[in-house]
Amino acid sequence: MGSSESAAGRNRCLTGIDGLDNILYGGLPRNNAILVTGSCGTGKTSMSLEFLLHGAEEGEMGIFVAATEPPEKLKENMMPYDFYDPQMLEKKQILFIDLHELYKKAKTEAPEIDQKGSEALIKAIVGAVRSHGAKRLVIDSITSICARLLTADLIREFIRGLSHALAQEGCTALLIAEVPAGEHRYSPYGVEEAVVDGVILLGNLERQGDLLRTLQVVKMRGTTHSRAKYILDLTSVGVLLAPLLKGGG
Amino acid sequence: MEATATGVQKLLEIPPASAIALEMTAEHYFDAVQGILDVFAPQKKLDAVYVTATIPSKSIIGALTTLEVDLTRTRFVDCVSRMTMGASERDDRAVYVESPTMLETVLLKVEFLLRKLGGAEAVVVLDSINSLAIHNSPRVLSEFLLMLTNHLRARGAYTFIFSMEEYASEEIANILNLVTDDVVRFEGP
Ligand SMILES: Nc1ncnc2c1ncn2[C@@H]1O[C@H](COP(=O)(O)OP(=O)(O)OP(=O)(O)O)[C@@H](O)[C@H]1O
Ligand SMILES: [Mg+2]
């Protein structure tokens, strides 16, 4: 597809999720690091896998750094999608890396990571991105890394350093954050959302006894975007979005 | 808008990307269903998505199957059978929405089925505005119908919204005038 070569294509990274690209008036600003945040089961992992699948369709290599779920299970999650093609994995257009391998590489296996360790971990992540020429990166989750960084300052420095280095590599990143259900905040440590370029909030909405999944783009540097809340559906044709009906409520 | 008496032959003259309210009495209900799924859609080579908020998709599929109507290009969004239904009772041609109040989900399921069917030109039937009006406020309903018809117009699809005369109200007439291109009295077949 020619979209990657157009002017918009150079500046924008199409998620391939039509609804989301429309909300963003043409995709994620390229080289941004975006926090995808929400409580469990809201669709963070599914949406991020789809981001990589559509990237592979466009010839953009993608890396998925997995901390919580084994790569085998994640691969299985991709298979039901109509646009999944086994070649994407065989030809390493999508690569799964276990976060613990990166910890090993950075010598940060200990449960606590200091300033030096944080820099080494950034190096290990960016090294993987560079060596594979990845244009898209998912870290699922950034929260599991933050849990090892002892202070808010360390977390801030880590995310800032990582986003900066990824931008220089020409890589657009989704950093997944896990917030406990029912808590009205964007990240567990409260500093992540300030340093990233964008925040996409996934959630649940209960309305007259109906439980709905929602998506809201809270912030996105480098583009105007809708701030409205959307209803989200996870399907085998991917994430589908519809505006939340207001109905005067 | 003037209501014009018509059967399915008259519907065939309607241009694509139109949203039409089909006003009818219960007597002509099944003529309309069959007319659209067995005549209109096949003649125009359309995929069909039938949203039912009135009777279970199972009943409609059953009745049409008895008449040997080809349903290979028809799918159902079923807002009445709910999730309480046993897995064995489910039909591959239907997706189920938990409640007729989940209008955004209806919209998403319509889009899902249109994509699954392969993206050909399509007709979407909404059966009926009266059933949806029982569960939703006029304001929410008109917002939903505007969203649905605008989306389907942009896709070049036909939208038929059933309106049952027995349950007519001024409120419903106002909504239909707002969201549709024409109100047509269906006195089929
Ligand atoms: N393509 C799909 N079609 C239907 N349901 C899906 C699809 N993908 C995911 N789901 C359902 O949505 C649920 C949540 O998905 P997902 O794992 O992406 O959420 P998450 O936010 O990453 O959750 P967690 O915080 O537990 O990691 C899954 O349990 C799964 O049942
Ligand atoms: Mg997950």
Side-chain angles (χ1 to χ4, degrees):
Chain A
M1 278 174 235
S3 61
S4 308
E5 275 90 57
S6 68
R10 275 196 299 277
N11 303 326
R12 292 303 180 108
C13 176
L14 290 178
T15 64
I17 300 166
D18 293 344
L20 182 57
D21 289 333
N22 289 338
I23 292 170
L24 297 167
Y25 297 114
L28 300 166
R30 219 170 251 290
N31 306 338
N32 269 13
I34 289 117
L35 201 68
V36 176
T37 180
S39 55
C40 68
T42 48
K44 305 180 295 295
T45 302
S46 305
M47 197 178 95
S48 305
L49 288 171
E50 194 181 342
F51 168 71
L52 295 187
L53 285 168
H54 289 304
E57 279 186 316
E58 296 282 324
E60 294 187 6
M61 198 277 166
I63 292 178
F64 193 108
V65 176
T68 39
E69 288 175 271
E72 282 315 311
K73 192 168 157 255
L74 292 164
K75 286 176 193 169
E76 268 170 37
N77 288 354
M78 296 201 307
M79 289 172 192
Y81 288 118
D82 291 347
F83 39 85
Y84 167 75
D85 175 355
Q87 295 256 318
M88 291 169 171
L89 293 175
E90 285 159 24
K91 294 191 171 167
K92 298 215 161 139
Q93 287 168 303
I94 297 175
L95 183 70
F96 288 90
I97 299 178
D98 191 325
L99 178 59
H100 293 93
E101 285 173 27
L102 295 174
Y103 283 148
K104 260 186 225 162
K105 196 167 268 174
K107 299 193 167 45
T108 51
E109 293 126 299
E112 292 174 1
I113 302 176
D114 59 11
Q115 172 79 33
K116 221 178 108 205
S118 152
E119 283 164 17
L121 188 56
I122 292 174
K123 245 192 195 146
I125 296 169
V126 175
V129 165
R130 185 180 302 152
S131 66
H132 292 96
K135 293 283 159 229
R136 300 182 184 214
L137 172 73
V138 173
I139 300 181
D140 189 359
S141 66
I142 197 79
T143 304
S144 63
I145 299 177
C146 293
R148 293 173 176 236
L149 296 162
L150 291 183
T151 65
D153 274 340
L154 272 176
I155 292 174
R156 210 178 278 119
E157 281 311 305
F158 173 76
I159 296 178
R160 189 179 284 139
L162 179 65
S163 348
H164 184 73
L166 289 172
Q168 290 204 313
E169 294 299 323
C171 184
T172 309
L174 298 184
L175 312 177
I176 296 179
E178 300 160 315
V179 280
E183 289 193 15
H184 292 280
R185 46 186 185 163
Y186 296 132
S187 64
Y189 298 96
V191 293
E192 299 93 311
E193 66 265 31
V195 228
V196 289
D197 302 303
V199 176
I200 298 175
L201 176 65
L202 301 184
N204 292 311
L205 174 73
E206 201 181 329
R207 189 179 63 191
Q208 297 166 20
D210 298 333
L211 190 63
L212 300 159
R213 285 199 167 97
T214 63
L215 175 147
Q216 199 170 13
V217 176
V218 174
K219 101 172 183 185
M220 193 64 64
R221 288 177 189 145
T223 180
T224 49
H225 60 87
S226 162
R227 292 178 55 86
K229 204 174 253 185
Y230 286 73
I231 300 298
L232 176 150
D233 197 10
L234 300 167
T235 77
S236 60
V237 301
V239 168
L240 295 177
L241 294 161
L244 175 72
L245 296 172
K246 291 178 196 72
Chain B
M1 265 178 273
E2 264 310 294
T4 41
T6 187
V8 68
Q9 287 308 319
K10 221 43 188 164
L11 297 185
L12 288 165
E13 293 164 19
I14 294 166
S18 300
I20 305 293
L22 285 189
E23 230 171 52
M24 66 189 91
T25 57
E27 182 192 354
H28 295 296
Y29 169 73
F30 203 72
D31 288 335
V33 176
Q34 194 186 353
I36 293 169
L37 297 180
D38 197 26
V39 182
F40 185 85
Q43 281 204 17
K44 292 189 178 286
K45 299 190 167 46
L46 305 173
D47 292 334
V49 173
Y50 191 103
V51 180
T52 173
T54 308
I55 54 175
S57 55
K58 201 180 164 191
S59 310
I60 303 172
I61 293 172
L64 292 169
T65 307
T66 308
L67 295 169
E68 298 186 338
V69 176
D70 178 11
L71 293 176
T72 37
R73 290 182 69 178
T74 302
R75 296 291 180 275
F76 295 83
V77 178
D78 186 330
C79 310
V80 274
S81 302
R82 323 237 167 160
M83 307 299 262
T84 52
M85 199 173 135
S88 60
E89 291 172 71
R90 294 189 181 205
D91 192 298
D92 286 344
R93 288 165 294 193
V95 294
Y96 301 87
V97 174
E98 280 171 86
S99 134
T101 53
M102 296 173 82
L103 294 176
E104 296 96 340
T105 309
V106 172
L107 207 73
L108 292 171
K109 296 304 180 195
V110 169
E111 177 62 18
F112 169 71
L113 291 174
L114 289 176
R115 289 201 193 188
K116 269 291 191 197
L117 280 162
E121 285 174 55
V123 53
V124 174
V125 179
L126 196 66
D127 172 9
S128 63
I129 188 165
N130 317 87
S131 309
L132 289 178
I134 297 170
H135 304 278
N136 299 281
S137 74
R139 215 168 141 173
V140 172
L141 193 53
S142 40
E143 201 184 340
F144 161 69
L145 290 173
L146 265 178
M147 212 183 271
L148 179 76
T149 50
N150 283 336
H151 180 71
L152 293 173
R153 272 196 203 95
R155 251 182 170 278
Y158 294 87
T159 313
F160 289 122
I161 302 174
F162 285 8
S163 170
M164 307 308 294
E165 266 180 33
E166 289 85 349
Y167 305 98
S169 71
E170 202 182 318
E171 220 151 41
I172 286 177
N174 288 341
I175 297 176
L176 289 175
N177 281 331
L178 173 74
V179 304
T180 63
D181 304 308
D182 205 356
V183 179
V184 170
R185 246 183 91 81
F186 190 89
E187 297 180 325

